[in-house]
Amino acid sequence: MPNKILVTGASGYIGSHTCVELLQAGFAVVALDNLRNSSRKSIARVERICCSRVTFYEADVRDRPALDRVMREHEIDAVIHFAGLKAVGESIAKPLLYFDNNVSGTVTLLTAMAEANVKRFVFSSSATVYGDPESVPIKESARLSATNPYGRSKLMVEQILNDLMQADPNWRISILRYFNPAGAHPSGLIGEDPQGIPNNLMPFVAQVAVGRRAKLAIFGNDYPTPDGTGIRDYIHVVDLARGHVAALRRLFTQPGGFTINLGTGQGYSVLEAVRAFEAASGCAVPFDIVPRRPGDIASCYASPTEARELLGWHAEKNLEEMCADHWRWQSMNPQGY
Ligand code: NAD
Ligand code: WQD
């Protein structure tokens, strides 16, 4: 019998790609999502890519009876927890929504897991927990801080998970701090489908390239970076998904928990990313330089050493592949799912 993984937030961007990598690695997948920020169609596409079935529950992680039902109906071996809200601006406007969804939701899920004696857990954290880093590349041991409620919700859950492992060493927990996910599955069948105006660079650029939006606004060209625009560590979502499979494998073979960065270790500026997307798509991406976005930092990229040493995992795909795959998804699905 293959190990059965409950994936929360499974129909979302990173969740759907991780379902594909899990199925292809021989795991069975039970998917759960409340569809707040995604479409059920992504699960059908996952099934199409993998020629296998996924059991899907439309449910909220704050709904304890629904979680108990999933645990009763399946013998779950581990949980990967993607379900969460992730818009920084919205979190500033609606902090209670973010703490309820991201923090209370995780506590409810962990409680249901403990009750069912399921104690392997992979958590989607973020490089946002490093705040404005003192230096780059950022190691896992760097000082942590949060600059907005979204970031604080991730930091709080990290602390809760560490307390839980302290209290009960049977828990095996992997905290994964993602840098900037980009790209899509090379099939073009699944990808990022943001609702409304994209907050993040890559989906915005892709929508300009496909003609859904007129122009990109670049938030500042006066940062202390070589071309003045912000530097980030863009990581292909398929590499990121494979990082989860590697983390899970370790949880199945070794006790204890760990916290690691999932990034490439390579930073690119906004202008470099835009040029790479233009080259991959063959489309112009017109832009204006506008003032800095409040809360943005100059430069953020990972030290990927710990992930390589602990998991034997490293990112394999470069910026060109991210842009080519993102473009394939966007041009095959110009309006999303
Ligand atoms: P996404 O919005 O595409 O996926 C999240 C999914 O969770 C969505 O399908 C949404 O409907 C679902 N969801 C939200 N709240 C839920 C709830 N209470 N119950 C059930 N389902 C719920 O986002 P993503 O980019 O795939 O992000 C996945 C996770 O990774 C999130 O926790 C996010 O905070 C984290 N993360 C994302 C990024 C990024 O830039 N994309 C970076 C770092 C960390
Ligand atoms: C990248 C670069 C912008 C949009 C955010 C969250 C973080 C994490 C990932 C979840 C920056 C510039 C962007 C645009 C632009 N999410 N930019 N015009 O800011 O690194 O991180 O998403 O955990 O928590 O804060 O990513 O894609 O928004 O921005 O010029 O329309 O692109 O200023 O330099 P960021 P991003």
Side-chain angles (χ1 to χ4, degrees):
M1 281 284 279
N3 283 316
K4 203 178 253 193
I5 314 302
L6 171 63
V7 180
T8 75
S11 45
Y13 174 43
I14 308 170
S16 55
H17 289 81
T18 303
C19 288
V20 167
E21 296 305 315
L22 286 169
L23 291 165
Q24 291 181 343
F27 292 97
V29 171
V30 174
L32 182 146
D33 202 298
N34 66 359
L35 303 179
R36 161 79 154 67
N37 196 39
S38 56
S39 161
R40 204 183 176 125
K41 284 187 195 156
S42 67
I43 298 291
R45 303 269 183 100
V46 167
E47 292 182 321
R48 199 167 133 198
I49 293 168
C50 299
C51 297
S52 42
R53 302 289 308 174
V54 171
T55 308
F56 180 76
Y57 288 85
E58 183 175 341
D60 195 296
V61 290
R62 291 164 295 182
D63 180 351
R64 180 65 200 277
L67 297 178
D68 289 343
R69 187 180 146 217
V70 174
M71 295 295 177
R72 259 197 324 273
E73 292 178 358
H74 300 273
E75 239 177 72
I76 299 296
D77 295 297
V79 176
I80 307 185
H81 181 39
F82 293 104
L85 299 174
K86 62 168 182 176
V88 171
E90 185 186 46
S91 82
I92 295 168
K94 300 177 182 168
L96 293 178
L97 172 68
Y98 272 66
F99 293 126
D100 182 39
N101 198 82
N102 292 4
V103 182
S104 305
T106 305
V107 171
T108 304
L109 174 61
L110 292 165
T111 311
M113 288 177 65
E115 188 83 7
N117 200 29
V118 178
K119 294 191 173 174
R120 295 186 192 93
F121 190 72
V122 179
F123 177 62
S124 298
S125 190
S126 166
T128 192
V129 300
Y130 296 118
D132 193 351
E134 278 161 356
S135 62
V136 283
I138 309 173
K139 288 192 181 153
E140 287 80 355
S141 55
R143 190 179 44 80
L144 303 179
S145 75
T147 51
N148 55 67
Y150 167 71
R152 248 182 303 282
S153 76
K154 292 292 176 191
L155 210 43
M156 284 178 190
V157 171
E158 287 202 5
Q159 288 162 343
I160 290 168
L161 294 173
N162 284 314
D163 284 344
L164 188 57
M165 281 192 284
Q166 194 78 36
D168 177 357
N170 289 321
W171 279 94
R172 299 183 181 191
I173 297 177
S174 163
I175 296 173
L176 304 178
R177 295 179 179 150
Y178 314 154
F179 281 67
N180 291 59
H185 192 265
S187 63
L189 289 173
I190 55 172
E192 188 168 13
D193 181 19
Q195 316 289 302
I197 301 168
N199 295 306
N200 296 113
L201 180 67
M202 280 295 183
F204 202 107
V205 167
Q207 290 190 7
V208 173
V210 84
R212 251 172 93 173
R213 299 187 189 277
K215 250 185 196 179
L216 169 73
I218 294 185
F219 301 139
N221 66 351
D222 56 351
Y223 283 103
T225 62
D227 67 21
T229 64
I231 289 181
R232 296 292 183 275
D233 185 339
Y234 299 98
I235 173 169
H236 197 296
V237 66
V238 170
D239 277 329
L240 191 66
R242 289 178 182 159
H244 291 71
V245 175
L248 203 55
R249 286 218 165 98
R250 189 179 159 102
L251 294 187
F252 276 110
T253 52
Q254 298 199 39
F258 53 92
T259 299
I260 48 163
N261 291 335
L262 293 183
T264 66
Q266 169 82 51
Y268 288 99
S269 74
V270 177
L271 285 171
E272 286 171 324
V274 169
R275 281 192 210 105
F277 205 94
E278 288 184 322
S281 63
C283 299
V285 176
F287 62 82
D288 288 327
I289 305 287
V290 304
R292 292 180 181 192
R293 180 171 62 179
D296 270 1
I297 56 179
S299 188
C300 173
Y301 53 95
S303 162
T305 311
E306 189 76 12
R308 195 187 268 269
E309 286 176 359
L310 210 71
L311 303 181
W313 169 92
H314 66 277
E316 291 172 10
K317 294 171 181 278
N318 60 24
L319 185 64
E320 284 63 41
E321 285 168 281
M322 287 178 230
C323 293
D325 290 338
H326 207 123
W327 175 242
R328 190 173 307 106
W329 151 255
Q330 186 70 66
S331 49
M332 282 170 63
N333 306 270
Q335 300 302 323
Y337 285 109

PDB file of all heavy atoms in Angstrom, residues 246-263:
ATOM      1  N   ALA A 246      10.911  15.414  -1.099  1.00  0.00           N
ATOM      2  CA  ALA A 246      12.173  15.107  -0.403  1.00  0.00           C
ATOM      3  C   ALA A 246      12.001  15.265   1.114  1.00  0.00           C
ATOM      4  O   ALA A 246      12.488  14.440   1.903  1.00  0.00           O
ATOM      5  CB  ALA A 246      13.285  16.019  -0.922  1.00  0.00           C
ATOM      6  N   ALA A 247      11.291  16.312   1.523  1.00  0.00           N
ATOM      7  CA  ALA A 247      11.074  16.556   2.960  1.00  0.00           C
ATOM      8  C   ALA A 247      10.248  15.418   3.558  1.00  0.00           C
ATOM      9  O   ALA A 247      10.554  14.906   4.643  1.00  0.00           O
ATOM     10  CB  ALA A 247      10.362  17.893   3.162  1.00  0.00           C
ATOM     11  N   LEU A 248       9.225  15.027   2.818  1.00  0.00           N
ATOM     12  CA  LEU A 248       8.342  13.949   3.281  1.00  0.00           C
ATOM     13  C   LEU A 248       9.133  12.648   3.436  1.00  0.00           C
ATOM     14  O   LEU A 248       8.975  11.923   4.429  1.00  0.00           O
ATOM     15  CB  LEU A 248       7.243  13.773   2.231  1.00  0.00           C
ATOM     16  CG  LEU A 248       5.944  13.147   2.639  1.00  0.00           C
ATOM     17  CD1 LEU A 248       5.331  13.902   3.810  1.00  0.00           C
ATOM     18  CD2 LEU A 248       4.981  13.176   1.454  1.00  0.00           C
ATOM     19  N   ARG A 249       9.969  12.362   2.458  1.00  0.00           N
ATOM     20  CA  ARG A 249      10.760  11.120   2.518  1.00  0.00           C
ATOM     21  C   ARG A 249      11.573  11.104   3.797  1.00  0.00           C
ATOM     22  O   ARG A 249      11.701  10.081   4.462  1.00  0.00           O
ATOM     23  CB  ARG A 249      11.692  11.035   1.302  1.00  0.00           C
ATOM     24  CG  ARG A 249      10.932  10.689   0.039  1.00  0.00           C
ATOM     25  CD  ARG A 249      11.751   9.738  -0.845  1.00  0.00           C
ATOM     26  NE  ARG A 249      10.888   9.134  -1.858  1.00  0.00           N
ATOM     27  CZ  ARG A 249      10.790   9.580  -3.099  1.00  0.00           C
ATOM     28  NH1 ARG A 249      11.512  10.623  -3.489  1.00  0.00           N
ATOM     29  NH2 ARG A 249       9.998   8.983  -3.948  1.00  0.00           N
ATOM     30  N   ARG A 250      12.145  12.244   4.144  1.00  0.00           N
ATOM     31  CA  ARG A 250      12.947  12.290   5.370  1.00  0.00           C
ATOM     32  C   ARG A 250      12.074  12.060   6.613  1.00  0.00           C
ATOM     33  O   ARG A 250      12.488  11.358   7.543  1.00  0.00           O
ATOM     34  CB  ARG A 250      13.706  13.616   5.471  1.00  0.00           C
ATOM     35  CG  ARG A 250      14.712  13.577   6.615  1.00  0.00           C
ATOM     36  CD  ARG A 250      15.506  14.830   6.763  1.00  0.00           C
ATOM     37  NE  ARG A 250      16.043  14.877   8.118  1.00  0.00           N
ATOM     38  CZ  ARG A 250      17.286  14.585   8.448  1.00  0.00           C
ATOM     39  NH1 ARG A 250      18.150  14.272   7.533  1.00  0.00           N
ATOM     40  NH2 ARG A 250      17.671  14.636   9.713  1.00  0.00           N
ATOM     41  N   LEU A 251      10.867  12.633   6.598  1.00  0.00           N
ATOM     42  CA  LEU A 251       9.975  12.419   7.745  1.00  0.00           C
ATOM     43  C   LEU A 251       9.587  10.946   7.888  1.00  0.00           C
ATOM     44  O   LEU A 251       9.320  10.482   8.989  1.00  0.00           O
ATOM     45  CB  LEU A 251       8.706  13.263   7.619  1.00  0.00           C
ATOM     46  CG  LEU A 251       8.863  14.782   7.689  1.00  0.00           C
ATOM     47  CD1 LEU A 251       7.496  15.451   7.716  1.00  0.00           C
ATOM     48  CD2 LEU A 251       9.677  15.228   8.896  1.00  0.00           C
ATOM     49  N   PHE A 252       9.544  10.234   6.761  1.00  0.00           N
ATOM     50  CA  PHE A 252       9.199   8.810   6.827  1.00  0.00           C
ATOM     51  C   PHE A 252      10.375   7.946   7.264  1.00  0.00           C
ATOM     52  O   PHE A 252      10.182   6.810   7.668  1.00  0.00           O
ATOM     53  CB  PHE A 252       8.671   8.313   5.471  1.00  0.00           C
ATOM     54  CG  PHE A 252       7.195   8.588   5.288  1.00  0.00           C
ATOM     55  CD1 PHE A 252       6.756   9.537   4.387  1.00  0.00           C
ATOM     56  CD2 PHE A 252       6.246   7.906   6.046  1.00  0.00           C
ATOM     57  CE1 PHE A 252       5.398   9.807   4.232  1.00  0.00           C
ATOM     58  CE2 PHE A 252       4.887   8.167   5.895  1.00  0.00           C
ATOM     59  CZ  PHE A 252       4.465   9.116   4.990  1.00  0.00           C
ATOM     60  N   THR A 253      11.590   8.478   7.171  1.00  0.00           N
ATOM     61  CA  THR A 253      12.740   7.624   7.478  1.00  0.00           C
ATOM     62  C   THR A 253      13.495   8.043   8.734  1.00  0.00           C
ATOM     63  O   THR A 253      14.284   7.252   9.253  1.00  0.00           O
ATOM     64  CB  THR A 253      13.736   7.609   6.292  1.00  0.00           C
ATOM     65  OG1 THR A 253      14.030   8.970   5.953  1.00  0.00           O
ATOM     66  CG2 THR A 253      13.156   6.896   5.079  1.00  0.00           C
ATOM     67  N   GLN A 254      13.290   9.301   9.191  1.00  0.00           N
ATOM     68  CA  GLN A 254      14.080   9.743  10.339  1.00  0.00           C
ATOM     69  C   GLN A 254      13.220  10.505  11.334  1.00  0.00           C
ATOM     70  O   GLN A 254      12.354  11.283  10.923  1.00  0.00           O
ATOM     71  CB  GLN A 254      15.207  10.660   9.859  1.00  0.00           C
ATOM     72  CG  GLN A 254      16.146   9.928   8.931  1.00  0.00           C
ATOM     73  CD  GLN A 254      17.487  10.632   8.822  1.00  0.00           C
ATOM     74  OE1 GLN A 254      17.993  11.136   9.815  1.00  0.00           O
ATOM     75  NE2 GLN A 254      18.035  10.666   7.631  1.00  0.00           N
ATOM     76  N   PRO A 255      13.493  10.311  12.628  1.00  0.00           N
ATOM     77  CA  PRO A 255      12.731  11.063  13.615  1.00  0.00           C
ATOM     78  C   PRO A 255      13.154  12.534  13.643  1.00  0.00           C
ATOM     79  O   PRO A 255      14.148  12.918  13.028  1.00  0.00           O
ATOM     80  CB  PRO A 255      13.095  10.371  14.936  1.00  0.00           C
ATOM     81  CG  PRO A 255      14.406   9.729  14.689  1.00  0.00           C
ATOM     82  CD  PRO A 255      14.490   9.423  13.229  1.00  0.00           C
ATOM     83  N   GLY A 256      12.390  13.318  14.364  1.00  0.00           N
ATOM     84  CA  GLY A 256      12.775  14.718  14.562  1.00  0.00           C
ATOM     85  C   GLY A 256      12.199  15.610  13.482  1.00  0.00           C
ATOM     86  O   GLY A 256      11.543  15.158  12.546  1.00  0.00           O
ATOM     87  N   GLY A 257      12.450  16.879  13.642  1.00  0.00           N
ATOM     88  CA  GLY A 257      11.925  17.847  12.683  1.00  0.00           C
ATOM     89  C   GLY A 257      13.046  18.721  12.146  1.00  0.00           C
ATOM     90  O   GLY A 257      14.181  18.652  12.625  1.00  0.00           O
ATOM     91  N   PHE A 258      12.714  19.536  11.167  1.00  0.00           N
ATOM     92  CA  PHE A 258      13.725  20.442  10.615  1.00  0.00           C
ATOM     93  C   PHE A 258      13.059  21.627   9.924  1.00  0.00           C
ATOM     94  O   PHE A 258      11.904  21.546   9.507  1.00  0.00           O
ATOM     95  CB  PHE A 258      14.648  19.705   9.636  1.00  0.00           C
ATOM     96  CG  PHE A 258      13.922  18.966   8.551  1.00  0.00           C
ATOM     97  CD1 PHE A 258      13.651  19.579   7.336  1.00  0.00           C
ATOM     98  CD2 PHE A 258      13.485  17.661   8.754  1.00  0.00           C
ATOM     99  CE1 PHE A 258      12.953  18.893   6.339  1.00  0.00           C
ATOM    100  CE2 PHE A 258      12.792  16.975   7.754  1.00  0.00           C
ATOM    101  CZ  PHE A 258      12.534  17.595   6.549  1.00  0.00           C
ATOM    102  N   THR A 259      13.817  22.716   9.838  1.00  0.00           N
ATOM    103  CA  THR A 259      13.347  23.938   9.179  1.00  0.00           C
ATOM    104  C   THR A 259      14.340  24.280   8.086  1.00  0.00           C
ATOM    105  O   THR A 259      15.538  24.435   8.372  1.00  0.00           O
ATOM    106  CB  THR A 259      13.293  25.092  10.203  1.00  0.00           C
ATOM    107  OG1 THR A 259      12.379  24.724  11.240  1.00  0.00           O
ATOM    108  CG2 THR A 259      12.841  26.382   9.569  1.00  0.00           C
ATOM    109  N   ILE A 260      13.868  24.361   6.850  1.00  0.00           N
ATOM    110  CA  ILE A 260      14.825  24.676   5.774  1.00  0.00           C
ATOM    111  C   ILE A 260      14.250  25.648   4.748  1.00  0.00           C
ATOM    112  O   ILE A 260      13.040  25.731   4.548  1.00  0.00           O
ATOM    113  CB  ILE A 260      15.304  23.415   5.008  1.00  0.00           C
ATOM    114  CG1 ILE A 260      14.125  22.557   4.617  1.00  0.00           C
ATOM    115  CG2 ILE A 260      16.362  22.663   5.758  1.00  0.00           C
ATOM    116  CD1 ILE A 260      14.509  21.577   3.538  1.00  0.00           C
ATOM    117  N   ASN A 261      15.178  26.327   4.101  1.00  0.00           N
ATOM    118  CA  ASN A 261      14.852  27.195   2.977  1.00  0.00           C
ATOM    119  C   ASN A 261      14.626  26.355   1.736  1.00  0.00           C
ATOM    120  O   ASN A 261      15.383  25.398   1.488  1.00  0.00           O
ATOM    121  CB  ASN A 261      16.048  28.103   2.648  1.00  0.00           C
ATOM    122  CG  ASN A 261      16.314  29.145   3.719  1.00  0.00           C
ATOM    123  OD1 ASN A 261      15.408  29.528   4.458  1.00  0.00           O
ATOM    124  ND2 ASN A 261      17.560  29.607   3.787  1.00  0.00           N
ATOM    125  N   LEU A 262      13.630  26.721   0.929  1.00  0.00           N
ATOM    126  CA  LEU A 262      13.549  26.171  -0.425  1.00  0.00           C
ATOM    127  C   LEU A 262      13.699  27.352  -1.394  1.00  0.00           C
ATOM    128  O   LEU A 262      12.760  28.123  -1.627  1.00  0.00           O
ATOM    129  CB  LEU A 262      12.241  25.424  -0.660  1.00  0.00           C
ATOM    130  CG  LEU A 262      12.029  24.124   0.137  1.00  0.00           C
ATOM    131  CD1 LEU A 262      10.711  23.451  -0.264  1.00  0.00           C
ATOM    132  CD2 LEU A 262      13.176  23.131  -0.031  1.00  0.00           C
ATOM    133  N   GLY A 263      14.904  27.491  -1.893  1.00  0.00           N
ATOM    134  CA  GLY A 263      15.211  28.543  -2.858  1.00  0.00           C
ATOM    135  C   GLY A 263      16.320  28.034  -3.758  1.00  0.00           C
ATOM    136  O   GLY A 263      16.806  26.915  -3.574  1.00  0.00           O
TER     137      GLY A 263
END
